[in-house]
């Protein structure tokens, strides 16, 4: 998955110390990002600058690609669900629900941001395209978050490519409308701040995981992250797509799939679908999946975030596997 323009072009103001100046000048919302950086001292340094680039570079969309649909029973997006009727009224005149088809490109590196997406279902991968054609996934967004929301920090080309991995639906609103509502509504600002903190956790732990954990454990973690968002043990994935997510060769994925199949973590892999055994896949994954879920839940629930090393394996706020699913 490579940008049509070749090398990814990151926004000019994200370079060295200029990144911190851009954050500080963005006001109260940006100060939340700065505080998050201060609270995670273990991953500061040059890697932290990469996290900021990934977080603050956002995604353009192509409006004619997505047919409108209707959703019964109200919103299923967690961010929209937290907004008051008055806050929603700021978005409603141009808020529409659209279908997201699998493999649709919602954003391409170098494009401007036209819309903000609030998924109700499905899963959207955030990919980095390298100059040599290699790709790697940096995060995933489902009904808990939004795509394009960080455009409130200022106009800049997207530094990532956002791709629908699992089909679903989303509400979308023009970026200009969202920017105006963001400026007027403390409730919208608070919701986006929570989303930003949640994505920072994905980027931070994901970077550490890529550096420290075996590829097999990382693949299990990604399969679980996608499973969380599609709410099914059958994932719409090919081995080629997994190689792009992990940034490894297809032959490596084939080998790892064989290993996980022997352990019972993969039940089947055919016709573009991978069926997993969630309990066994949890045993094969590193701790990053569990910690990502725990810390994100603490952010949205308002609980105090604890030291990662203190997070118990059986924390009650993380949905556990049903008894009949246990190994």
């Amino acid at each position: 998955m490579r940008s049509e323009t070749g090398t990814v072009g990151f926004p000019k103001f994200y370079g060295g110390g200029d990144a911190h100046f851009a954050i500080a000048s963005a006001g109260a919302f940006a100060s939340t990002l700065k505080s998050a950086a201060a609270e995670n001292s273990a991953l500061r340094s040059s890697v932290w600058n990469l996290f900021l680039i990934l977080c603050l570079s956002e995604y353009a969309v192509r409006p004619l690609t997505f047919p409108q649909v209707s959703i019964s029973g109200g919103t299923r997006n967690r961010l929209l669900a937290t907004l008051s009727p008055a806050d929603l009224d700021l978005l409603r005149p141009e808020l529409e629900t659209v279908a997201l088809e699998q493999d649709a490109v919602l954003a391409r590196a170098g494009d401007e941001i036209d819309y903000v997406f609030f998924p109700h279902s499905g899963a959207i991968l955030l990919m980095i395209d390298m100059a040599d054609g290699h790709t790697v996934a940096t995060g995933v967004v489902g009904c808990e978050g939004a795509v394009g929301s960080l455009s409130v920090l200022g106009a800049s080309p997207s530094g990532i490519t956002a791709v629908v991995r699992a089909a679903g639906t989303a509400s979308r609103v023009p970026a200009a409308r969202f920017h105006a509502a963001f400026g007027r509504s403390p409730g919208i600002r608070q919701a986006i701040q929570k989303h930003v903190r949640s994505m920072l956790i994905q980027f931070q732990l994901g970077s550490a995981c890529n550096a420290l954990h075996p590829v097999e454990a990382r693949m299990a973690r990604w399969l679980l992250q996608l499973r969380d968002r599609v709410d099914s043990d059958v994932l719409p994935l090919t081995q080629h797509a997994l190689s792009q997510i992990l940034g490894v060769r297809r032959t490596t994925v084939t080998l790892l799939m064989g290993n996980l199949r022997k352990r019972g973590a993969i039940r089947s892999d055919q016709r573009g679908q991978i069926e997993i055994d969630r309990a066994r896949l949890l045993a094969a994954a590193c701790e990053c999946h569990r910690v990502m879920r725990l810390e994100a839940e603490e952010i949205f629930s308002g609980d105090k975030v604890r030291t990662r090393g203190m997070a118990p394996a059986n924390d009650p706020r993380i949905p556990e596997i049903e008894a009949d699913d246990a190994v």
Side-chain angles (χ1 to χ4, degrees):
M1 190 183 307
R2 184 173 180 176
S3 170
E4 294 172 346
T5 57
T7 305
V8 172
F10 291 108
K12 293 181 180 178
F13 53 82
Y14 296 119
D18 290 342
H20 300 287
F21 171 78
I23 296 169
S25 65
F29 171 55
S31 67
T32 300
L33 293 180
K34 194 172 181 181
S35 297
E39 293 170 2
N40 291 275
S41 57
L43 290 177
R44 288 185 305 208
S45 73
S46 59
V47 177
W48 176 247
N49 287 331
L50 174 61
F51 298 152
L52 292 178
I53 289 171
L54 298 178
C55 286
L56 301 176
S57 302
E58 278 289 57
Y59 336 109
V61 298
R62 306 185 188 282
L64 298 180
T65 312
F66 309 99
Q68 295 188 30
V69 297
S70 61
I71 289 183
S72 59
T75 181
R76 293 195 290 269
N77 180 271
R78 189 170 191 173
L79 294 181
L80 291 181
T82 65
L83 300 181
S84 69
D87 290 333
L88 283 174
D89 285 344
L90 297 175
L91 303 174
R92 204 181 306 277
E94 297 182 79
L95 191 67
E96 59 183 357
T97 303
V98 296
L100 303 177
E101 297 181 0
Q102 183 177 350
D103 295 324
V105 177
L106 306 189
R108 198 175 295 277
D111 287 352
E112 298 295 329
I113 300 167
D114 295 321
Y115 286 87
V116 178
F117 277 88
F118 299 90
H120 299 285
S121 59
I124 301 165
L125 286 171
L126 311 182
M127 310 290 296
I128 288 290
D129 307 306
M130 304 304 292
D132 62 1
H134 288 90
T135 67
V136 67
T138 61
V140 59
V141 177
C143 65
E144 80 289 346
V147 173
S149 60
L150 298 186
S151 60
V152 295
L153 293 181
S156 63
S158 174
I160 63 161
T161 298
V163 182
V164 178
R165 184 64 266 152
T169 60
S171 290
R172 72 174 186 182
V173 65
R177 164 74 63 171
F178 182 74
H179 296 170
F182 181 88
R184 295 175 57 186
S185 168
I188 292 177
R189 290 196 294 273
Q190 184 180 43
I192 297 304
Q193 286 169 6
K194 289 181 178 181
H195 170 60
V196 169
R197 291 173 60 195
S198 177
M199 292 307 297
L200 280 172
I201 289 167
Q202 271 203 67
F203 296 140
Q204 292 168 17
L205 285 174
S207 180
C209 183
N210 289 343
L212 299 174
H213 295 153
V215 180
E216 183 173 312
R218 291 196 283 119
M219 187 167 84
R221 188 252 298 176
W222 273 110
L223 292 173
L224 288 168
Q225 285 185 266
L226 289 170
R227 196 260 178 245
D228 290 342
R229 288 159 178 85
V230 303
D231 195 27
S232 171
D233 287 341
V234 179
L235 307 178
L237 273 176
T238 62
Q239 289 193 14
H240 176 67
L242 264 178
S243 71
Q244 291 184 317
I245 292 170
L246 293 167
V248 300
R249 296 178 183 274
R250 167 74 179 274
T251 53
T252 301
V253 171
T254 301
L255 176 63
L256 297 176
M257 291 290 289
N259 293 343
L260 290 175
R261 192 178 292 110
K262 290 177 183 177
R263 299 174 62 175
I266 299 293
R267 291 172 177 163
S268 66
D269 170 24
Q270 55 187 347
R271 296 186 297 276
Q273 293 185 324
I274 297 175
E275 184 178 3
I276 67 169
D277 183 298
R278 184 173 55 170
R280 291 183 169 90
L281 199 60
L282 280 167
C286 55
E287 73 271 18
C288 296
H289 168 256
R290 178 177 293 274
V291 176
M292 283 180 187
R293 292 192 62 179
L294 173 60
E295 295 201 12
E297 188 59 33
E298 287 175 332
I299 287 170
F300 283 101
S301 67
D303 290 348
K304 183 179 179 181
V305 178
R306 296 164 297 166
T307 303
R308 288 171 185 165
M310 298 296 292
N314 60 346
D315 193 285
R317 285 164 296 179
I318 300 180
E320 291 296 337
I321 298 167
E322 301 295 334
D324 56 354
D325 289 337
V327 179

